[in-house]
């Protein structure tokens, strides 16, 4: 009986696995799964959003390279728990999406393969990367990844509500340039629209609060980390940053109880003025603004995170890259396939930049085509004022999680600012000193 | 089989030493698995707990440092507290509701059969489906609870964002998921209660509560103890619901020990520390189960 | 008599109300799964009014992934069930009926194993399979589950309850140990096999933590892990209706199996605890 059930199953499996002499390239990525909408699309120009464009790009690559079988492994964001487990299990994928900030975590443990030879084979020169993209992947003279973008947290603005709130001049949004102004604008906004000024992630997903906190610390000229073993969150800058976030929330200037998906849909529904979210949403919000039934219809603008604390005009930036985890079993044929894959992504970087991300290649960022994309001139300044998290911190990813968790506990009033900063620093330092 | 039989039989009858050891052959496959998948990992875990290591190797021997660190780590201590709180929220509820359902549904009518099916059905769903369902009930933006609240003109409650309500919400989800098991166990026990006890009670005109407390409950007391122990062991292992519904937040109010272990080992690359926490969890479960066993066995009349 | 055993009406009302509460979340997810994603984005309350659509289910059918996961879950659960039944029956017979050196102490050790929770050994297991480079395989997903002492305990108890006279009669007829086990005693344990089998199947089907860290390759995900991956995706690209359809799709097989075998499952679960 049991054998009766198992036999056909096993036979079917064997049939699936057998007789394919194409080179297998295992590609692991986040950006979500959208096979339902884009599974059959292999023209990237016909796709929108991170998930759609990424899916279409990979479909295109497969269509162009019939001798390579791409096995696509979509993981939940950011996918590092899983990658770590795979590396420990000696079975990592051939190429993985990785944030620039996380590269040092893996590079420090010698878990990534420098891409110099692969890129040379592919004919991609690191010289072609933008300075910000290059800074994200270079360790000494070794190239640890192929950058596909540089991104930053932005202010996505509902201009229809801003107009109603009297915060538009000459068709441009009026943004605060000090904590006091921030408070005044938010108050005025709420009085005239009845809605909160700020739409932000307040719980469950830690990334949003973490980035805002880092941003405010950096704007004050503070440094989140002292050295490779010590964080510096419990500082005057940290106090002021978190205290300010808390004040905004306590004054009712922010939405409440939003996870990431909730915050995005709240903004799309027109339930708040400013959404703090990354470059990746520019394309999607632009598309929404072109639909008549949208709350953003004809009323979407985007700006760099304004300098609320003016000590430094700086913005946190990060980037997405393809990296190659070390794997002794990887064959030369697979390396060649990877080289072609990377070349393809370098060549098609414009399509990826349509998401809203900054291109990772000088030729594209300087091209008329990119500058002609909507809203890009409004945020282009970020290529000059962007600054990544320090490379010497070699557990960036778990620390980001802790910073986000503690920051949201503090600004939503569940915990005192002092206590949160102490815990943040202690927990981060424990990790930094644990290896 | 037929082929081996003759030789086996002749060998069995021939050699006494072979016969003496042949029994071991039957238990050997299991003992091998037991040693490889339970005892060996336990030893590896114990060993790792005295080291500083990540998933890629051991860095240093640190003795009992990890344990010392655990007991001064507020996040871990909170996780222990959260775990006990969760057990306290779920185990009595599962036991009492399960028992109540079993008492009401312990009859042969068709409606009882349907209702038993309803209460057991959720048990067969996997944790990821259960949490998906309940997030969609509880989230304030468009969740069912919020939709209903709005119908009555009330502001929706953000169960999973409130440090006071988040754990009860996870407990509610868990009770919804797991109520079938205790109910079925109690039903089975109730079937075993001798009918003549009830008949005698009926002759005495005993009241319902009296029958319940002086006949039914004493008769199934072993099952009650069993259900409590099973549930304690199960609920101490809370992981998926917290990981998927709240990620341990808000403000660390729903992080159970198992999630702590997972994060320490896989997210933060502190495998030795995670291993130490796993041993503490092991001890906690063992002590709680033993205490419960001790309490319930002491009540037994000598 | 019968009046006494009939529950009081108030209790019946309460139980029916509870039953409705049990069903409502499932029905909610069911109707969401028949709604258009954009309509739900605007307002989930739109789920209560038409139009409804099968699009989400069509999309699942168009996407191979869920089927791969489903297949993995089926294979892993069946293999683990078969393995546990075989190994536990052999061991149960050995411990209950045969004499060999160390039998008593070994059985006590196995009983001690009952107290070890998965969490206490999962790190060690992960290390072992890492060292063998055997993660992302059916072996890694199935083998740890075979070490559950519960099955051995259950089968030992069951074999012990079978009268020894049966073996002795067979022995006199010259049957071998294995033959007695295979042809005579094993058929008598079918109720216990059913109990253990069903228990193991559902446990394997719902296992979450181990597959989460061992099956990290999308092709090797079990349904539980696969659904988790879509559930916590940063960009909820697929939309709510699709996610709900996936939940229904993932939950349906076990619900159907349950409804078909309801009687046996309930009896089996109760039987397992009775031992």
């Amino acid at each position: 009986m049991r054998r009766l059930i198992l036999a056909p199953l096993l036979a079917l499996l064997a049939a699936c696995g057998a007789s394919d002499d194409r080179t297998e390239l295992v590609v692991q990525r986040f950006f979500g799964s959208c096979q339902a909408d884009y599974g059959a699309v292999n023209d990237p120009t016909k796709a929108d959003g991170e998930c759609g464009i990424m899916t279409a790009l990979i479909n295109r690559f497969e269509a162009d390279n019939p001798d390579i079988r791409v096995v696509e492994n979509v993981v939940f964001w950011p996918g590092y728990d899983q990658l770590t487990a795979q590396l420990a299990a000696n079975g990592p994928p051939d190429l993985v999406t990785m944030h620039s900030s996380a590269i040092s975590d893996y590079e420090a443990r010698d878990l990534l393969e420098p891409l110099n030879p692969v890129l040379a084979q592919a004919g991609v020169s690191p010289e072609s990367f933008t300075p910000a993209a290059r800074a994200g992947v270079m360790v000494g003279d070794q190239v640890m990844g192929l950058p596909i973008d540089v991104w930053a947290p932005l202010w996505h603005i509902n201009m229809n509500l801003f107009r109603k709130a009297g915060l538009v001049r000459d068709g441009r949004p009026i943004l605060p340039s000090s904590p006091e102004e921030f408070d005044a604008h938010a108050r005025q906004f709420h009085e005239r629209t009845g809605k909160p000024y700020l739409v932000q992630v307040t719980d469950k997903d830690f990334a949003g609060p973490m980035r805002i906190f880092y941003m405010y610390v950096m704007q004050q000229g503070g440094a989140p980390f002292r050295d490779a073993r010590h964080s510096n969150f419990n500082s005057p800058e940290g106090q002021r940053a978190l205290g300010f976030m808390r004040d905004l929330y306590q004054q009712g200037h922010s939405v409440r109880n939003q996870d990431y998906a909730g915050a995005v849909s709240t903004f799309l529904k027109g339930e708040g003025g400013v959404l703090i979210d990354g470059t990746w949403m520019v394309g999607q919000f632009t598309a929404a603004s072109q639909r008549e039934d949208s709350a953003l219809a004809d009323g979407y603008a985007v700006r760099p995170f304004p300098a609320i604390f003016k000590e430094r005009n700086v913005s946190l930036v990060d980037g997405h890259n393809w990296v190659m985890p070390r794997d002794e079993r990887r064959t030369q044929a697979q390396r060649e396939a990877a080289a072609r894959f990377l070349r393809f992504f370098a060549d098609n970087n414009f399509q990826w930049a349509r998401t809203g991300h900054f291109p990772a290649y000088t030729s594209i960022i300087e091209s008329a085509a990119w500058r002609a994309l909507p809203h890009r001139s409004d945020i282009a300044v970020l290529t000059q004022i962007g600054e990544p998290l320090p490379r010497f911190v070699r557990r960036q990813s778990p620390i980001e999680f802790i910073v986000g968790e503690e920051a949201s506990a503090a600004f939503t009033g569940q915990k005192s600012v002092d206590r949160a900063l102490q815990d943040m620093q202690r927990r981060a330092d424990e990790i930094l000193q644990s290896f | 089989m037929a082929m081996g039989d003759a030789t086996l039989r002749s060998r069995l009858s021939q050699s006494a030493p072979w016969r003496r050891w042949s029994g071991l052959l039957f238990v050997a496959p299991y003992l091998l698995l037991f040693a490889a998948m339970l005892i060996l990992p336990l030893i590896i875990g114990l060993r790792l707990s005295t080291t500083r290591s990540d998933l890629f190797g051991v860095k240093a021997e640190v003795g009992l440092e990890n344990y010392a660190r655990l007991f001064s780590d507020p996040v871990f201590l909170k996780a222990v507290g959260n775990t006990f709180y969760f057990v306290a929220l779920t185990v009595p509820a599962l036991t009492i509701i399960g028992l109540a359902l079993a008492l009401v549904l312990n009859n042969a009518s068709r409606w009882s059969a349907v209702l038993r099916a309803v209460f057991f059905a959720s048990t067969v769903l996997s944790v990821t489906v259960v949490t998906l369902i309940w997030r969609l009930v509880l989230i304030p933006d468009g969740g069912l609870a919020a939709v209903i609240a709005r119908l009555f003109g009330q502001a929706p409650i953000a169960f999973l964002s409130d440090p006071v309500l988040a754990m009860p919400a996870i407990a509610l989800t868990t009770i919804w998921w797991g109520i079938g098991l205790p109910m079925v166990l109690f039903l089975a026990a109730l079937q075993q209660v001798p009918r003549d006890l009830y008949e005698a009670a009926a002759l005495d005109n005993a009241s319902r509560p009296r029958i319940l407390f002086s006949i039914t409950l004493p008769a199934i007391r072993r099952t009650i103890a069993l259900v409590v122990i099973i549930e304690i062991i199960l609920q101490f292992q809370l992981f998926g619901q917290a990981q998927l519904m709240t990620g341990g937040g808000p403000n660390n109010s729903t992080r159970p020990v198992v999630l702590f272990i997972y994060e320490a080992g896989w997210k933060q690359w502190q495998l030795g520390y995670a291993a130490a926490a796993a041993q503490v969890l092991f001890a906690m479960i063992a002590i709680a189960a033993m205490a419960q066993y001790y309490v319930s066995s002491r009540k037994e009349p000598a | 008599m019968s009046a006494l055993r009939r529950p009081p009406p108030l209790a019946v009302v309460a139980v029916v109300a509870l039953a409705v509460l049990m069903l409502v979340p499932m029905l909610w997810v069911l109707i969401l799964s028949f709604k258009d994603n954009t309509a739900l984005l605007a307002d989930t309350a739109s789920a209560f009014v038409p139009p409804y659509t099968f699009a989400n289910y069509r999309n699942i059918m168009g996407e191979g992934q869920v089927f791969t996961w489903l297949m993995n879950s089926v294979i892993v659960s069946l293999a683990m069930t078969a393995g546990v039944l075989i190994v536990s029956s052999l061991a149960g017979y050995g411990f209950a009926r045969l004499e060999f050196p160390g039998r008593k102490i070994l059985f006590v050790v196995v009983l001690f194993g009952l107290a070890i929770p998965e969490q206490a050994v999962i790190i060690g297991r992960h290390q072992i399979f890492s060292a063998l480079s055997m993660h992302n395989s059916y072996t890694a997903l199935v083998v740890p589950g075979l070490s559950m002492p519960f099955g051995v305990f259950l089968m030992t108890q069951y074999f012990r309850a079978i009268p020894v006279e049966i073996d002795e009669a067979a022995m006199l007829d010259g049957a071998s140990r294995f033959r007695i086990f295979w042809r005579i005693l094993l058929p008598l344990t079918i109720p216990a096999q059913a109990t253990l089998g069903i228990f193991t199947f559902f446990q394997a089907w719902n296992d979450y933590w181990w597959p989460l860290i061992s099956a990290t390759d999308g092709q090797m995900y079990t349904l539980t892990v696969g659904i988790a991956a879509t559930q916590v995706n940063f960009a909820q690209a697929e939309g709510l209706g699709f996610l709900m359809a996936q939940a229904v799709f993932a939950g349906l097989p076990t619900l159907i199996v349950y409804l078909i075998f309801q009687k046996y499952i309930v009896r089996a679960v109760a039987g397992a605890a009775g031992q």
Side-chain angles (χ1 to χ4, degrees):
Chain A
M1 172 64 184
R2 284 194 292 271
R3 210 173 300 158
L4 272 180
I5 300 173
L6 275 174
L9 283 180
L10 292 174
L12 192 70
L13 265 160
C16 292
S19 73
D20 191 340
D21 52 2
R22 291 179 292 172
T23 307
E24 187 181 277
L25 184 69
V26 182
V27 167
Q28 182 161 303
R29 63 170 186 83
F30 43 84
F31 303 123
S33 160
C34 45
Q35 288 296 315
D37 291 334
Y38 291 103
V41 177
N42 68 6
D43 180 357
T45 62
K46 298 233 163 35
D48 281 305
E50 274 184 317
C51 187
I53 295 177
M54 178 56 75
T55 305
L57 278 170
I58 292 179
N59 288 345
R60 177 87 231 170
F61 176 78
E62 273 200 287
D64 291 351
N65 296 273
D67 57 327
I68 298 173
R69 190 166 82 93
V70 179
V71 178
E72 200 180 350
N73 199 13
V74 181
V75 294
F76 45 84
W77 188 92
Y80 297 132
D81 298 2
Q82 201 162 6
L83 177 63
T84 303
Q86 289 166 328
L87 283 161
N90 308 314
D94 296 309
L95 292 169
V96 191
T97 47
M98 187 173 280
H99 294 98
S100 305
S101 57
I103 284 182
S104 54
D105 298 14
Y106 291 85
E107 184 269 328
R109 204 67 178 79
D110 199 23
L111 296 166
L112 300 180
E113 197 176 307
L115 288 180
N116 303 46
V118 175
L119 289 184
Q121 186 178 13
V124 176
S125 162
E127 300 300 313
S128 63
F129 305 161
T130 63
R134 206 179 314 136
V137 294
M138 299 294 291
V139 177
D141 54 4
Q142 294 192 314
V143 192
M144 302 313 298
L146 179 99
I148 56 175
D149 62 54
V150 171
W151 57 258
L154 301 172
W155 277 33
H156 300 274
I157 297 157
N158 183 328
M159 289 295 280
N160 297 330
L161 289 176
F162 258 54
R163 227 166 262 132
K164 208 168 151 193
L167 290 170
V168 176
R169 191 184 302 134
D170 305 331
R172 304 181 69 81
I174 305 172
L175 299 183
S177 59
S178 68
E180 296 70 33
E181 250 180 48
F182 199 134
D183 183 67
H185 285 192
R187 213 167 283 279
Q188 180 178 335
F189 185 92
H190 188 255
E191 274 161 17
R192 304 211 184 162
T193 66
K195 290 172 179 173
Y197 182 75
L198 192 58
V199 182
Q200 59 181 348
V201 179
T202 59
D203 54 53
K204 188 158 186 283
D205 298 306
F206 60 90
M210 172 267 294
R211 290 182 194 132
I212 297 172
F213 175 74
Y214 277 158
M215 186 78 82
Y216 287 145
V217 169
M218 288 162 69
Q219 284 190 350
Q220 296 174 67
F225 295 93
R226 200 172 305 149
D227 55 48
R229 299 285 182 194
H230 297 91
S231 63
N232 188 30
F233 302 132
N234 195 10
S235 58
E237 293 86 2
Q239 293 273 355
R240 199 160 164 224
L242 199 48
F244 177 59
M245 290 166 75
R246 184 190 175 98
D247 288 346
L248 288 177
Y249 190 87
Q250 301 304 335
Q251 298 290 326
H253 297 335
S254 160
V255 291
R256 281 156 199 258
N257 310 317
Q258 304 283 324
D259 61 7
Y260 178 78
V264 171
S265 90
T266 298
F267 180 70
L268 273 171
K269 281 189 229 170
E271 295 298 323
V274 173
L275 172 71
I276 302 181
D277 199 355
T279 40
W280 52 89
M281 296 309 288
V282 172
Q284 265 168 286
F285 290 152
T286 305
S289 72
Q290 287 155 359
R291 280 198 311 269
E292 268 176 35
D293 59 344
S294 162
L296 295 177
D298 228 3
Y300 167 66
V302 59
R303 291 291 183 277
F305 206 109
I308 304 293
F309 300 97
K310 279 198 279 296
E311 281 79 353
R312 276 184 73 204
N313 188 15
V314 61
S315 175
L316 175 70
V317 293
D318 203 336
H320 295 123
N321 313 279
W322 288 112
V323 300
M324 184 182 274
R326 279 198 192 280
D327 185 359
E328 288 161 13
R329 295 173 304 179
R330 188 170 296 125
T331 63
Q332 204 45 48
Q334 281 169 322
R335 274 202 185 76
E336 269 169 40
R340 270 152 68 189
F341 188 87
L342 295 178
R343 173 67 193 252
F344 174 84
F345 266 83
D347 288 347
N348 287 278
N349 196 240
F350 175 76
Q351 292 304 326
W352 183 245
R354 285 179 41 243
T355 55
H357 289 306
F358 291 103
Y361 300 85
T362 317
S363 60
I364 297 171
I365 213 162
E366 285 172 355
S367 70
W370 182 73
R371 269 175 296 178
L373 290 172
H375 304 295
R376 296 317 192 270
S377 56
D378 293 326
I379 53 175
V381 61
L382 280 166
T383 56
Q384 285 134 47
I385 62 168
E387 187 175 300
L389 288 168
R391 186 31 58 79
F392 59 74
V393 178
R394 293 181 297 177
R395 285 290 188 278
Q396 203 74 259
S397 162
I399 291 173
E400 288 186 344
F401 181 86
I402 288 167
V403 169
E405 186 178 61
E406 296 290 347
S408 46
F411 80 74
T412 56
Q414 291 157 10
K415 186 170 197 173
S416 76
V417 168
D418 282 339
R419 186 62 205 285
L421 288 170
Q422 282 163 22
D423 287 349
M424 203 187 274
Q425 180 147 334
R426 180 183 46 76
R427 291 173 71 188
D429 287 359
E430 271 173 15
I431 292 177
L432 288 173
Q433 287 154 26
S434 72
F435 58 95
Chain B
M1 284 306 80
M3 214 170 57
D5 275 351
T7 51
L8 189 62
R9 191 186 315 157
S10 60
R11 273 210 236 154
L12 278 174
S13 51
Q14 276 161 18
S15 64
W18 164 247
R19 190 184 185 103
R20 219 172 100 71
W21 288 95
S22 69
L24 210 51
L25 274 184
F26 283 87
V27 296
Y30 177 73
L31 288 180
L32 217 66
L33 285 162
F34 183 79
M37 289 290 104
L38 220 52
I39 302 302
L40 182 60
L42 194 65
I43 295 169
I44 294 176
L46 275 168
R47 197 200 114 53
L48 276 174
S49 75
T50 64
T51 66
R52 186 178 300 159
S53 4
D54 57 26
L55 282 161
F56 315 106
V58 174
K59 286 289 176 60
E61 300 287 338
V62 295
L64 295 179
E65 189 193 284
N66 286 327
Y67 292 94
R69 221 182 109 194
L70 275 177
F71 288 106
S72 59
D73 182 343
V75 180
F76 178 72
L77 296 177
K78 186 76 201 308
V80 172
N82 290 339
T83 308
F84 274 102
Y85 179 42
F86 177 76
V87 168
L89 283 176
T90 50
V91 173
L94 282 163
T95 311
I96 292 165
I97 299 172
L99 179 59
L101 290 175
L103 286 169
V104 176
L105 300 177
N106 182 30
N107 58 61
S109 80
R110 169 174 297 187
W111 275 107
S112 291
V114 171
L115 288 172
R116 285 196 297 262
V118 167
F119 285 107
F120 196 79
S122 56
T123 304
V124 303
L125 299 174
S126 68
V127 64
T128 36
V129 173
V130 170
T131 51
L132 203 50
I133 291 175
W134 276 88
R135 264 191 79 77
L136 256 295
V137 171
L138 296 173
I139 52 171
D141 289 303
L144 181 61
V147 170
I148 292 170
R150 256 189 352 208
L151 277 181
F152 292 97
Q154 302 289 315
I157 301 167
F159 295 94
L160 298 173
S161 312
D162 184 324
V164 177
L165 294 178
M167 191 59 109
I170 292 179
L172 177 69
T173 305
T174 307
I175 293 166
W176 181 87
W177 183 26
I179 191 63
L181 181 66
M183 177 190 74
V184 166
L185 297 179
F186 283 124
L187 278 167
L190 289 174
Q191 308 272 319
Q192 310 293 321
V193 181
R195 283 183 85 92
D196 48 354
L197 286 180
Y198 289 114
E199 276 154 22
L203 288 179
D204 281 357
N205 257 338
S207 68
R208 249 190 251 278
R210 224 194 111 121
I211 294 175
L212 177 64
F213 285 104
S214 50
I215 299 178
T216 313
L217 292 186
I220 60 167
R221 116 192 128 243
R222 277 193 58 205
T223 306
I224 298 176
L226 178 81
V227 166
V228 172
I229 291 180
I230 290 180
E231 290 298 338
I232 285 178
I233 293 176
L234 272 180
Q235 305 312 335
F236 258 113
Q237 306 183 17
L238 168 67
F239 172 58
Q241 300 98 298
Q243 192 218 14
L244 295 166
M245 290 177 77
T246 59
N251 191 18
N252 196 19
S253 61
T254 60
R255 175 174 287 122
V257 176
V258 180
L259 184 57
F260 179 92
I261 297 171
Y262 175 76
E263 289 178 351
W266 274 264
K267 211 184 273 304
Q268 304 170 355
W269 300 10
Q270 307 190 65
L271 199 64
Y273 196 45
Q279 309 311 320
V280 174
L281 178 73
F282 180 18
M284 268 164 53
I285 294 177
I287 291 169
M290 274 190 313
Q292 163 58 23
Y293 182 76
Y294 177 73
V295 169
S296 62
S297 58
R298 222 176 35 160
K299 275 196 208 136
E300 302 240 350
Chain C
M1 175 59 220
S2 58
L4 250 184
R5 302 217 48 182
R6 192 176 301 140
L10 207 65
V12 175
V13 171
V15 167
V16 170
L18 271 181
V20 171
L21 284 181
M22 291 297 289
L23 288 176
V24 161
M26 291 195 211
L27 295 176
W28 170 240
V29 164
L30 191 67
I31 56 167
L32 286 178
S33 73
F34 286 106
K35 285 297 290 185
D36 178 55
N37 286 319
T38 25
L40 290 181
L41 189 64
D43 187 5
T44 49
S46 70
F48 295 118
V49 286
Y52 295 103
T53 165
F54 282 101
N56 296 317
Y57 289 94
R58 264 203 305 277
N59 288 338
I60 289 182
M61 299 304 148
E63 180 175 5
Q65 265 190 320
V66 188
F67 288 99
T68 313
W69 303 339
L70 181 67
M71 185 80 128
N72 289 340
S73 277
V74 169
I75 291 171
V76 168
S77 303
L78 285 179
M80 197 189 289
T81 307
V84 164
L85 290 181
I86 294 168
V87 168
S88 306
S89 302
L90 284 170
Y93 174 68
F95 280 125
R97 278 294 201 268
L98 306 176
E99 272 304 329
F100 52 88
R103 182 178 66 103
K104 282 203 177 115
I105 180 79
L106 284 172
F107 189 63
V108 171
V109 170
V110 171
L111 283 190
F112 164 77
L114 278 174
I116 305 176
E118 192 196 14
Q119 283 72 18
V121 293
I122 199 162
I123 291 174
R125 282 178 185 169
H126 191 270
Q127 298 279 90
I128 293 171
F129 282 95
S130 292
L132 300 171
S133 292
M134 273 175 65
H135 284 294
N136 282 312
S137 69
Y138 289 123
T139 315
L141 287 174
V142 170
V143 168
L146 303 184
S147 66
M148 277 198 314
F150 174 73
V152 175
F153 176 67
L154 183 77
M155 293 315 295
T156 306
Q157 300 296 86
Y158 209 88
F159 275 111
R160 275 187 185 153
I162 299 172
V164 193
E165 288 74 22
I166 295 180
D167 308 38
E168 286 169 355
M171 207 74 110
L172 287 178
D173 289 347
S176 74
R177 283 273 166 77
F178 193 82
R179 197 181 167 81
I180 295 172
F181 165 72
W182 186 254
R183 285 284 161 78
I184 298 167
L185 293 186
L186 207 55
L188 294 175
T189 64
I190 285 177
Q193 303 278 356
T195 298
L196 183 57
I198 289 166
F199 217 72
T200 310
F201 184 88
F202 280 111
Q203 194 157 332
W205 187 272
N206 288 337
D207 202 3
Y208 177 53
W209 194 11
W210 177 248
L212 179 69
I213 56 177
S214 180
T216 49
D217 172 353
Q219 300 298 306
M220 283 307 297
Y221 283 172
T222 60
L223 200 53
T224 313
V225 176
I227 299 288
T230 17
Q231 188 174 348
V232 290
N233 257 333
F234 191 51
Q236 295 290 11
E238 302 277 24
L240 201 55
F242 181 85
L243 223 57
M244 293 301 109
Q246 224 175 25
V248 173
F249 183 82
L252 222 49
T254 42
L255 272 181
I256 290 172
V257 169
Y258 164 68
L259 287 175
I260 295 174
F261 296 106
Q262 205 196 121
K263 222 158 95 188
Y264 304 95
I265 292 172
V266 169
R267 205 181 294 158
V269 172
Q275 294 299 315

